[in-house]
Amino acid sequence: MGNSNQNKKTRLQTEKIMKITAKHLEFIRLVANGETQSNAYKVSFGKLKVSKNVSEVKGSQLAKKYALQIQQARENAQKAIEQANKEKEAEIALKRI
């Protein structure tokens, strides 16, 4: 029964992700890559002239809403970095042969 609940939860998360707009995806990407929530809001929504207070509030709201997706994007980026490092190490090792 636990597996059924887990499958349902995963399906609901997938459906939620599918509804994320391009601007929100850009926000997620920027925050996951280290941009501040405020700047990520300004850049992803093209609102560079919005006040600092507004961008901080909106950025914080979006970060809370997409916390899971931001964490997943960070984990995916870390895995990609680790894989690239392994490939580079393998390349160096092959050159030494």
XYZ file of all heavy atoms in Angstrom:
768
model
N 0.818 -1.197 0.000
C 0.000 0.000 0.000
C 0.861 1.259 0.000
O 0.542 2.236 -0.635
C -0.928 -0.022 1.209
C -1.924 1.100 1.190
S -3.384 0.547 2.039
C -4.347 1.983 1.949
N 1.988 1.231 0.709
C 2.891 2.370 0.735
C 3.416 2.707 -0.647
O 3.583 3.853 -0.991
N 3.686 1.674 -1.452
C 4.191 1.885 -2.811
C 3.151 2.597 -3.664
O 3.477 3.456 -4.465
C 4.592 0.544 -3.426
C 5.412 0.720 -4.687
O 6.038 1.752 -4.867
N 5.412 -0.274 -5.534
N 1.889 2.244 -3.479
C 0.800 2.886 -4.222
C 0.724 4.376 -3.888
O 0.559 5.207 -4.769
C -0.531 2.205 -3.903
O -1.586 2.877 -4.540
N 0.856 4.689 -2.601
C 0.839 6.096 -2.186
C 2.038 6.846 -2.741
O 1.930 7.994 -3.136
C 0.804 6.210 -0.661
C -0.537 5.829 -0.087
O -1.555 5.863 -0.765
N -0.543 5.434 1.181
N 3.203 6.188 -2.763
C 4.414 6.810 -3.301
C 4.246 7.080 -4.799
O 4.634 8.136 -5.288
C 5.640 5.917 -3.053
C 6.939 6.543 -3.501
C 7.294 7.810 -2.754
O 6.928 7.989 -1.597
N 7.999 8.712 -3.405
N 3.679 6.114 -5.528
C 3.445 6.299 -6.967
C 2.499 7.461 -7.217
O 2.702 8.242 -8.138
C 2.889 5.019 -7.590
C 3.922 3.919 -7.662
O 5.111 4.167 -7.577
N 3.460 2.696 -7.794
N 1.455 7.566 -6.407
C 0.492 8.658 -6.551
C 1.171 10.003 -6.280
O 0.986 10.963 -7.023
C -0.675 8.462 -5.582
C -1.755 9.496 -5.722
C -2.921 9.212 -4.798
C -4.007 10.251 -4.972
N -5.142 10.000 -4.075
N 2.015 10.033 -5.236
C 2.729 11.269 -4.891
C 3.665 11.677 -6.027
O 3.708 12.840 -6.416
C 3.522 11.061 -3.598
C 4.241 12.291 -3.116
C 4.961 12.017 -1.810
C 5.718 13.249 -1.352
N 6.461 13.001 -0.124
N 4.394 10.705 -6.578
C 5.305 10.984 -7.683
C 4.534 11.485 -8.898
O 4.960 12.431 -9.563
C 6.108 9.714 -8.046
O 6.820 9.298 -6.892
C 7.077 9.983 -9.179
N 3.401 10.871 -9.201
C 2.580 11.288 -10.337
C 2.085 12.714 -10.142
O 2.120 13.529 -11.061
C 1.410 10.324 -10.530
C 0.658 10.575 -11.845
C -0.518 9.624 -12.042
N -1.646 10.079 -11.256
C -2.163 9.441 -10.212
N -1.671 8.304 -9.818
N -3.184 9.935 -9.541
N 1.642 13.032 -8.921
C 1.154 14.386 -8.653
C 2.280 15.404 -8.777
O 2.081 16.500 -9.291
C 0.520 14.454 -7.262
C -0.804 13.716 -7.101
C -1.239 13.729 -5.642
C -1.884 14.307 -7.986
N 3.491 15.044 -8.321
C 4.632 15.948 -8.454
C 4.955 16.170 -9.924
O 5.241 17.287 -10.345
C 5.849 15.383 -7.734
C 5.740 15.443 -6.233
C 6.872 14.721 -5.533
O 7.554 13.900 -6.135
N 7.066 15.019 -4.264
N 4.894 15.106 -10.715
C 5.170 15.210 -12.149
C 4.136 16.098 -12.819
O 4.473 16.949 -13.641
C 5.173 13.811 -12.799
O 6.175 13.018 -12.155
C 5.469 13.895 -14.289
N 2.869 15.915 -12.477
C 1.819 16.753 -13.053
C 2.031 18.212 -12.673
O 1.841 19.109 -13.492
C 0.444 16.276 -12.578
C 0.025 14.950 -13.179
C -1.244 14.389 -12.565
O -1.840 15.039 -11.676
O -1.636 13.279 -12.971
N 2.457 18.459 -11.442
C 2.706 19.827 -10.992
C 3.859 20.437 -11.780
O 3.802 21.586 -12.191
C 3.011 19.830 -9.493
C 3.158 21.206 -8.904
C 3.379 21.144 -7.406
C 3.519 22.522 -6.818
N 3.735 22.487 -5.378
N 4.918 19.675 -11.990
C 6.076 20.160 -12.726
C 5.689 20.512 -14.154
O 6.142 21.492 -14.712
C 7.217 19.118 -12.692
C 7.786 19.044 -11.286
C 8.310 19.461 -13.690
C 8.752 17.902 -11.068
N 4.816 19.702 -14.755
C 4.420 19.935 -16.136
C 3.690 21.264 -16.294
O 3.636 21.815 -17.375
C 3.557 18.774 -16.639
C 4.366 17.497 -16.794
S 3.423 15.996 -17.140
C 2.114 16.515 -18.176
N 3.134 21.810 -15.209
C 2.376 23.055 -15.269
C 3.231 24.288 -14.993
O 2.746 25.391 -14.987
C 1.226 23.002 -14.259
C 0.195 21.952 -14.583
C -0.885 21.909 -13.548
C -1.874 20.795 -13.837
N -2.912 20.711 -12.820
N 4.515 24.090 -14.754
C 5.390 25.213 -14.446
C 5.653 26.016 -15.724
O 6.014 25.462 -16.749
C 6.728 24.712 -13.845
C 6.467 23.981 -12.533
C 7.679 25.879 -13.627
C 7.695 23.335 -11.937
N 5.484 27.322 -15.620
C 5.683 28.187 -16.785
C 7.172 28.348 -17.091
O 8.039 28.067 -16.252
C 5.090 29.583 -16.534
O 5.852 30.226 -15.501
C 3.621 29.521 -16.139
N 7.456 28.834 -18.270
C 8.846 29.052 -18.693
C 9.537 30.050 -17.758
O 10.713 29.872 -17.413
C 8.888 29.551 -20.130
N 8.836 31.079 -17.337
C 9.427 32.069 -16.435
C 9.756 31.447 -15.089
O 10.803 31.726 -14.496
C 8.481 33.258 -16.249
C 8.371 34.125 -17.486
C 7.403 35.257 -17.279
C 7.304 36.093 -18.548
N 6.379 37.210 -18.398
N 8.863 30.581 -14.614
C 9.112 29.919 -13.339
C 10.272 28.937 -13.455
O 11.083 28.820 -12.530
C 7.852 29.223 -12.837
C 6.812 30.169 -12.352
N 5.669 29.759 -11.706
C 6.728 31.528 -12.414
C 4.932 30.816 -11.386
N 5.553 31.894 -11.818
N 10.360 28.237 -14.572
C 11.482 27.323 -14.795
C 12.804 28.088 -14.810
O 13.811 27.625 -14.267
C 11.304 26.549 -16.100
C 10.256 25.443 -16.076
C 10.030 24.900 -17.478
C 10.657 24.328 -15.117
N 12.804 29.255 -15.431
C 14.001 30.093 -15.451
C 14.356 30.535 -14.035
O 15.525 30.531 -13.647
C 13.797 31.305 -16.366
C 14.968 32.260 -16.421
C 16.213 31.687 -17.089
O 16.210 30.516 -17.533
O 17.213 32.404 -17.151
N 13.356 30.910 -13.252
C 13.578 31.288 -11.860
C 14.217 30.131 -11.096
O 15.216 30.313 -10.386
C 12.253 31.695 -11.195
C 12.387 31.979 -9.726
C 12.807 33.223 -9.281
C 12.112 30.996 -8.782
C 12.946 33.486 -7.923
C 12.248 31.255 -7.422
C 12.660 32.498 -6.993
N 13.666 28.935 -11.249
C 14.190 27.742 -10.583
C 15.643 27.519 -10.982
O 16.511 27.280 -10.136
C 13.325 26.508 -10.920
C 11.944 26.649 -10.268
C 14.010 25.208 -10.510
C 10.900 25.688 -10.808
N 15.931 27.595 -12.279
C 17.289 27.384 -12.783
C 18.261 28.390 -12.190
O 19.353 28.040 -11.738
C 17.305 27.461 -14.309
C 18.659 27.115 -14.940
C 18.695 27.425 -16.419
N 18.649 28.858 -16.702
C 19.677 29.696 -16.538
N 20.828 29.261 -16.088
N 19.555 30.971 -16.810
N 17.865 29.653 -12.174
C 18.744 30.702 -11.665
C 19.046 30.520 -10.178
O 20.202 30.611 -9.757
C 18.122 32.078 -11.915
C 18.084 32.545 -13.369
C 17.201 33.778 -13.515
C 19.488 32.816 -13.881
N 18.011 30.259 -9.385
C 18.215 30.078 -7.941
C 19.064 28.835 -7.686
O 19.973 28.852 -6.857
C 16.870 30.009 -7.186
C 17.077 29.646 -5.722
C 16.126 31.335 -7.288
N 18.779 27.761 -8.414
C 19.551 26.522 -8.236
C 21.022 26.733 -8.573
O 21.893 26.082 -7.992
C 18.963 25.414 -9.104
N 21.304 27.673 -9.479
C 22.689 27.950 -9.881
C 23.335 29.046 -9.043
O 24.407 29.538 -9.391
C 22.747 28.303 -11.366
C 22.506 27.094 -12.232
O 22.842 25.974 -11.860
N 21.899 27.297 -13.383
N 22.675 29.458 -7.963
C 23.305 30.373 -7.018
C 22.877 31.822 -7.076
O 23.364 32.641 -6.301
N 21.973 32.154 -7.986
C 21.489 33.536 -8.061
C 20.595 33.807 -6.841
O 19.946 32.906 -6.321
C 20.702 33.738 -9.352
C 20.316 35.164 -9.633
C 21.515 36.082 -9.800
O 22.286 35.880 -10.745
O 21.679 36.986 -8.961
N 20.572 35.041 -6.377
C 19.674 35.365 -5.265
C 18.228 35.259 -5.742
O 17.943 35.414 -6.935
C 19.909 36.795 -4.731
O 19.547 37.736 -5.749
C 21.345 36.994 -4.286
N 17.339 35.012 -4.818
C 15.916 34.909 -5.159
C 15.419 36.217 -5.766
O 14.663 36.210 -6.743
C 15.100 34.555 -3.918
C 15.425 33.197 -3.353
C 14.825 32.963 -1.984
O 14.126 33.805 -1.445
N 15.118 31.808 -1.409
N 15.858 37.324 -5.217
C 15.447 38.636 -5.695
C 15.895 38.866 -7.141
O 15.088 39.251 -8.004
C 16.026 39.712 -4.779
O 15.724 41.001 -5.251
N 17.178 38.631 -7.413
C 17.684 38.827 -8.774
C 17.085 37.815 -9.739
O 16.813 38.146 -10.900
C 19.208 38.756 -8.800
C 19.851 40.008 -8.252
O 19.235 41.064 -8.192
N 21.086 39.883 -7.825
N 16.891 36.586 -9.279
C 16.287 35.568 -10.136
C 14.877 35.986 -10.542
O 14.478 35.809 -11.695
C 16.256 34.221 -9.419
N 14.139 36.576 -9.620
C 12.796 37.069 -9.944
C 12.880 38.168 -10.998
O 12.176 38.131 -12.005
C 12.077 37.585 -8.692
C 10.763 38.250 -9.024
C 9.637 37.487 -9.307
C 10.668 39.631 -9.101
C 8.441 38.108 -9.654
C 9.480 40.247 -9.440
C 8.373 39.482 -9.716
O 7.191 40.084 -10.074
N 13.749 39.136 -10.773
C 13.880 40.253 -11.705
C 14.246 39.774 -13.107
O 13.653 40.207 -14.093
C 14.938 41.240 -11.219
C 14.529 42.047 -10.017
C 15.658 42.974 -9.598
C 15.262 43.851 -8.438
N 16.325 44.802 -8.094
N 15.221 38.882 -13.197
C 15.702 38.414 -14.498
C 14.661 37.536 -15.183
O 14.350 37.726 -16.361
C 17.037 37.649 -14.336
C 17.438 36.965 -15.625
C 18.125 38.605 -13.861
N 14.124 36.577 -14.466
C 13.211 35.619 -15.104
C 11.896 36.253 -15.526
O 11.262 35.790 -16.473
C 12.972 34.410 -14.200
O 12.387 34.791 -12.977
N 11.492 37.305 -14.849
C 10.235 37.961 -15.207
C 10.446 39.266 -15.958
O 9.488 39.969 -16.276
C 9.381 38.200 -13.953
C 8.763 36.933 -13.427
C 9.474 36.114 -12.567
C 7.511 36.540 -13.837
C 8.934 34.938 -12.107
C 6.955 35.369 -13.379
C 7.671 34.555 -12.516
N 11.699 39.598 -16.258
C 11.986 40.804 -17.029
C 11.584 42.075 -16.313
O 11.226 43.065 -16.939
N 11.641 42.048 -14.988
C 11.231 43.211 -14.200
C 12.444 43.793 -13.489
O 12.501 43.860 -12.270
C 10.150 42.803 -13.200
C 8.887 42.314 -13.890
C 7.772 42.108 -12.922
C 6.522 41.707 -13.691
N 5.334 41.793 -12.903
N 13.406 44.225 -14.266
C 14.663 44.707 -13.704
C 14.505 46.002 -12.910
O 15.333 46.318 -12.058
C 15.702 44.878 -14.815
C 16.020 43.604 -15.605
C 16.993 43.909 -16.733
C 16.569 42.523 -14.698
N 13.448 46.752 -13.169
C 13.260 48.037 -12.492
C 12.310 47.946 -11.299
O 12.005 48.960 -10.688
C 12.761 49.085 -13.476
C 13.791 49.411 -14.539
C 13.335 50.521 -15.445
C 14.413 50.796 -16.491
N 14.051 51.901 -17.357
N 11.855 46.742 -10.957
C 10.954 46.585 -9.820
C 11.736 46.883 -8.529
O 12.955 46.709 -8.476
C 10.336 45.161 -9.801
C 11.346 44.124 -9.409
C 9.136 45.098 -8.893
N 11.040 47.352 -7.505
C 11.722 47.715 -6.262
C 12.350 46.494 -5.592
O 11.921 45.357 -5.798
C 10.741 48.374 -5.287
O 9.884 47.406 -4.714
N 13.357 46.770 -4.790
C 14.047 45.703 -4.072
C 13.078 44.945 -3.176
O 13.111 43.716 -3.112
C 15.193 46.296 -3.247
C 15.977 45.260 -2.488
C 17.115 45.889 -1.697
C 17.847 44.813 -0.906
N 18.871 45.353 -0.050
N 12.214 45.665 -2.495
C 11.256 45.038 -1.592
C 10.322 44.083 -2.343
O 10.100 42.953 -1.920
C 10.439 46.094 -0.842
C 9.533 45.474 0.205
O 9.994 44.708 1.048
N 8.255 45.798 0.153
N 9.798 44.538 -3.466
C 8.886 43.701 -4.255
C 9.612 42.464 -4.773
O 9.095 41.345 -4.678
C 8.254 44.505 -5.418
C 7.535 43.588 -6.394
C 7.301 45.556 -4.876
N 10.806 42.658 -5.304
C 11.533 41.512 -5.855
C 11.915 40.515 -4.764
O 11.913 39.303 -4.996
C 12.772 41.964 -6.633
O 13.724 42.548 -5.775
N 12.220 41.009 -3.571
C 12.548 40.106 -2.464
C 11.333 39.302 -2.032
O 11.426 38.099 -1.812
C 13.120 40.886 -1.283
C 14.535 41.370 -1.523
C 15.076 42.228 -0.394
O 14.297 42.624 0.502
O 16.286 42.501 -0.414
N 10.188 39.963 -1.937
C 8.960 39.273 -1.531
C 8.539 38.256 -2.589
O 8.264 37.091 -2.278
C 7.815 40.283 -1.257
C 6.482 39.585 -1.087
C 8.143 41.118 -0.022
N 8.497 38.682 -3.840
C 8.085 37.777 -4.925
C 9.070 36.618 -5.085
O 8.668 35.473 -5.293
C 7.951 38.540 -6.241
C 6.869 39.594 -6.253
C 5.506 38.954 -6.266
C 4.439 39.998 -6.497
N 3.100 39.423 -6.550
N 10.363 36.920 -4.993
C 11.380 35.881 -5.100
C 11.256 34.859 -3.983
O 11.351 33.651 -4.207
N 11.016 35.339 -2.786
C 10.846 34.455 -1.641
C 9.613 33.570 -1.804
O 9.653 32.367 -1.515
C 10.735 35.274 -0.350
O 10.513 34.428 0.757
N 8.523 34.153 -2.272
C 7.297 33.378 -2.491
C 7.518 32.269 -3.515
O 7.097 31.125 -3.303
C 6.157 34.300 -2.954
C 5.647 35.228 -1.888
C 4.677 36.265 -2.418
O 4.613 36.549 -3.620
N 3.916 36.866 -1.504
N 8.188 32.611 -4.605
C 8.452 31.601 -5.630
C 9.409 30.524 -5.125
O 9.236 29.340 -5.429
C 9.015 32.253 -6.891
C 8.018 33.016 -7.748
C 8.738 33.745 -8.874
C 6.962 32.072 -8.313
N 10.413 30.932 -4.358
C 11.378 29.961 -3.828
C 10.682 28.968 -2.897
O 10.997 27.776 -2.910
C 12.505 30.680 -3.107
N 9.747 29.444 -2.113
C 8.991 28.543 -1.231
C 8.110 27.613 -2.061
O 8.029 26.416 -1.782
C 8.137 29.347 -0.249
C 8.953 30.005 0.835
C 8.090 30.851 1.742
C 8.958 31.612 2.736
N 8.179 32.567 3.524
N 7.456 28.164 -3.062
C 6.559 27.370 -3.901
C 7.317 26.264 -4.637
O 6.802 25.158 -4.801
C 5.863 28.292 -4.915
C 4.916 27.574 -5.848
C 4.199 28.552 -6.762
C 3.221 27.817 -7.669
N 2.468 28.745 -8.515
N 8.527 26.561 -5.082
C 9.288 25.621 -5.900
C 10.522 25.077 -5.177
O 11.506 24.695 -5.809
C 9.701 26.296 -7.210
C 8.519 26.628 -8.082
C 8.200 27.947 -8.372
C 7.706 25.625 -8.605
C 7.104 28.254 -9.167
C 6.615 25.925 -9.396
C 6.325 27.246 -9.673
O 5.239 27.541 -10.460
N 10.467 25.014 -3.863
C 11.619 24.536 -3.085
C 12.067 23.146 -3.530
O 13.271 22.892 -3.672
C 11.288 24.540 -1.593
N 11.137 22.254 -3.766
C 11.480 20.893 -4.191
C 12.175 20.906 -5.545
O 13.215 20.263 -5.733
C 10.226 20.016 -4.256
C 10.433 18.599 -4.785
C 11.356 17.808 -3.862
C 9.091 17.886 -4.922
N 11.644 21.668 -6.484
C 12.229 21.733 -7.823
C 13.614 22.384 -7.787
O 14.511 21.973 -8.517
C 11.301 22.477 -8.782
C 10.040 21.736 -9.116
C 8.946 21.870 -8.076
O 9.077 22.548 -7.054
N 7.816 21.216 -8.307
N 13.786 23.395 -6.940
C 15.092 24.049 -6.804
C 16.105 23.054 -6.254
O 17.223 22.947 -6.762
C 14.991 25.313 -5.926
C 14.179 26.398 -6.655
C 16.380 25.835 -5.543
C 13.771 27.568 -5.780
N 15.708 22.311 -5.227
C 16.608 21.314 -4.647
C 16.960 20.241 -5.668
O 18.117 19.835 -5.784
C 15.987 20.684 -3.394
C 16.902 19.707 -2.689
C 18.216 20.320 -2.249
O 18.287 21.474 -1.859
N 19.287 19.545 -2.310
N 15.972 19.789 -6.430
C 16.234 18.779 -7.457
C 17.186 19.314 -8.522
O 18.088 18.598 -8.971
C 14.919 18.320 -8.098
C 14.091 17.452 -7.189
C 12.712 17.135 -7.765
O 12.186 17.870 -8.601
N 12.128 16.046 -7.299
N 17.012 20.561 -8.907
C 17.896 21.166 -9.909
C 19.321 21.282 -9.370
O 20.286 21.036 -10.103
C 17.365 22.542 -10.319
N 19.454 21.622 -8.088
C 20.790 21.686 -7.478
C 21.448 20.309 -7.468
O 22.631 20.178 -7.770
C 20.691 22.221 -6.052
C 20.442 23.705 -5.978
C 20.335 24.181 -4.550
N 20.180 25.628 -4.520
C 19.461 26.277 -3.615
N 18.864 25.625 -2.642
N 19.363 27.586 -3.662
N 20.667 19.294 -7.100
C 21.191 17.929 -7.073
C 21.587 17.471 -8.475
O 22.637 16.841 -8.649
C 20.171 16.984 -6.456
C 19.990 17.200 -4.959
C 18.825 16.432 -4.369
O 18.182 15.624 -5.083
O 18.561 16.626 -3.161
N 20.762 17.781 -9.460
C 21.088 17.411 -10.842
C 22.357 18.107 -11.314
O 23.189 17.501 -11.998
C 19.920 17.740 -11.774
C 18.730 16.843 -11.552
O 18.831 15.780 -10.941
N 17.573 17.272 -12.028
N 22.519 19.372 -10.956
C 23.728 20.113 -11.339
C 24.952 19.495 -10.670
O 25.999 19.339 -11.303
C 23.593 21.584 -10.957
N 24.816 19.121 -9.401
C 25.938 18.507 -8.683
C 26.313 17.175 -9.324
O 27.498 16.880 -9.489
C 25.587 18.306 -7.200
C 26.735 17.761 -6.381
C 27.949 18.667 -6.374
O 27.843 19.885 -6.361
N 29.124 18.076 -6.398
N 25.326 16.382 -9.704
C 25.596 15.103 -10.372
C 26.309 15.328 -11.706
O 27.226 14.594 -12.053
C 24.301 14.326 -10.595
C 23.725 13.740 -9.325
C 22.404 13.046 -9.596
C 21.754 12.592 -8.303
N 20.421 12.021 -8.507
N 25.890 16.346 -12.438
C 26.522 16.650 -13.720
C 27.982 17.069 -13.518
O 28.869 16.666 -14.284
C 25.753 17.752 -14.447
N 28.241 17.839 -12.483
C 29.604 18.259 -12.174
C 30.456 17.048 -11.801
O 31.581 16.895 -12.279
C 29.613 19.311 -11.042
C 29.020 20.631 -11.545
C 31.023 19.517 -10.479
C 28.715 21.624 -10.456
N 29.903 16.194 -10.962
C 30.633 14.985 -10.562
C 30.947 14.111 -11.768
O 32.052 13.574 -11.886
C 29.832 14.215 -9.517
C 29.783 14.917 -8.165
C 28.796 14.294 -7.195
O 28.176 13.254 -7.527
O 28.643 14.850 -6.094
N 29.979 13.957 -12.673
C 30.189 13.148 -13.868
C 31.260 13.766 -14.759
O 32.129 13.071 -15.283
C 28.884 12.978 -14.657
C 29.006 12.094 -15.878
C 29.405 10.671 -15.551
O 29.038 10.130 -14.528
N 30.179 10.059 -16.428
N 31.227 15.071 -14.910
C 32.233 15.760 -15.722
C 33.621 15.583 -15.112
O 34.600 15.370 -15.838
C 31.885 17.238 -15.849
N 33.707 15.650 -13.792
C 34.997 15.454 -13.124
C 35.519 14.038 -13.335
O 36.715 13.838 -13.571
C 34.890 15.762 -11.629
C 34.785 17.246 -11.355
O 35.206 18.069 -12.158
N 34.217 17.596 -10.217
N 34.632 13.058 -13.258
C 35.032 11.666 -13.484
C 35.540 11.483 -14.914
O 36.543 10.806 -15.142
C 33.865 10.718 -13.225
C 33.534 10.537 -11.773
C 32.347 9.604 -11.601
C 31.938 9.513 -10.146
N 30.744 8.678 -9.965
N 34.834 12.086 -15.863
C 35.249 11.979 -17.262
C 36.602 12.653 -17.481
O 37.446 12.136 -18.217
C 34.182 12.575 -18.176
C 32.918 11.740 -18.218
C 31.777 12.383 -18.982
O 31.991 13.427 -19.628
O 30.658 11.836 -18.938
N 36.798 13.790 -16.837
C 38.078 14.499 -16.962
C 39.206 13.672 -16.349
O 40.291 13.561 -16.934
C 37.983 15.876 -16.283
C 39.205 16.725 -16.471
C 39.378 17.114 -17.920
C 40.549 18.050 -18.096
N 40.817 18.346 -19.494
N 38.938 13.070 -15.184
C 39.939 12.218 -14.545
C 40.271 11.022 -15.431
O 41.438 10.634 -15.547
C 39.438 11.746 -13.188
C 39.398 12.837 -12.143
C 38.720 12.397 -10.854
O 38.448 11.188 -10.681
O 38.468 13.274 -10.011
N 39.262 10.445 -16.061
C 39.491 9.310 -16.949
C 40.317 9.734 -18.163
O 41.232 9.007 -18.593
C 38.159 8.713 -17.405
N 40.033 10.907 -18.686
C 40.783 11.435 -19.828
C 42.250 11.635 -19.473
O 43.154 11.277 -20.226
C 40.150 12.753 -20.282
C 40.790 13.384 -21.474
C 40.152 14.708 -21.828
O 38.926 14.829 -21.705
O 40.889 15.625 -22.210
N 42.494 12.186 -18.295
C 43.870 12.419 -17.833
C 44.582 11.081 -17.642
O 45.735 10.921 -18.035
C 43.866 13.249 -16.527
C 43.401 14.673 -16.825
C 45.239 13.243 -15.869
C 43.106 15.497 -15.590
N 43.896 10.115 -17.049
C 44.484 8.811 -16.810
C 44.843 8.127 -18.136
O 45.902 7.505 -18.256
C 43.527 7.935 -16.014
N 43.971 8.256 -19.121
C 44.248 7.644 -20.424
C 45.455 8.285 -21.111
O 46.219 7.607 -21.789
C 43.022 7.745 -21.323
C 41.869 6.797 -20.995
C 40.652 7.139 -21.837
C 42.277 5.360 -21.189
N 45.647 9.567 -20.931
C 46.788 10.257 -21.530
C 48.101 9.815 -20.902
O 49.146 9.889 -21.529
C 46.627 11.776 -21.397
C 45.592 12.350 -22.332
C 45.484 13.849 -22.180
C 44.446 14.413 -23.114
N 44.323 15.868 -22.987
N 48.036 9.362 -19.661
C 49.243 8.937 -18.945
C 49.676 7.525 -19.346
O 50.772 7.123 -19.002
C 49.007 8.992 -17.453
C 48.878 10.396 -16.939
C 48.705 10.431 -15.453
N 48.585 11.807 -14.989
C 48.100 12.145 -13.814
N 47.724 11.231 -12.959
N 48.039 13.418 -13.461
N 48.808 6.805 -20.008
C 49.122 5.423 -20.398
C 50.072 5.391 -21.564
O 50.050 6.130 -22.463
C 47.834 4.635 -20.728
C 46.954 4.549 -19.494
C 48.171 3.267 -21.264
C 45.629 3.859 -19.714
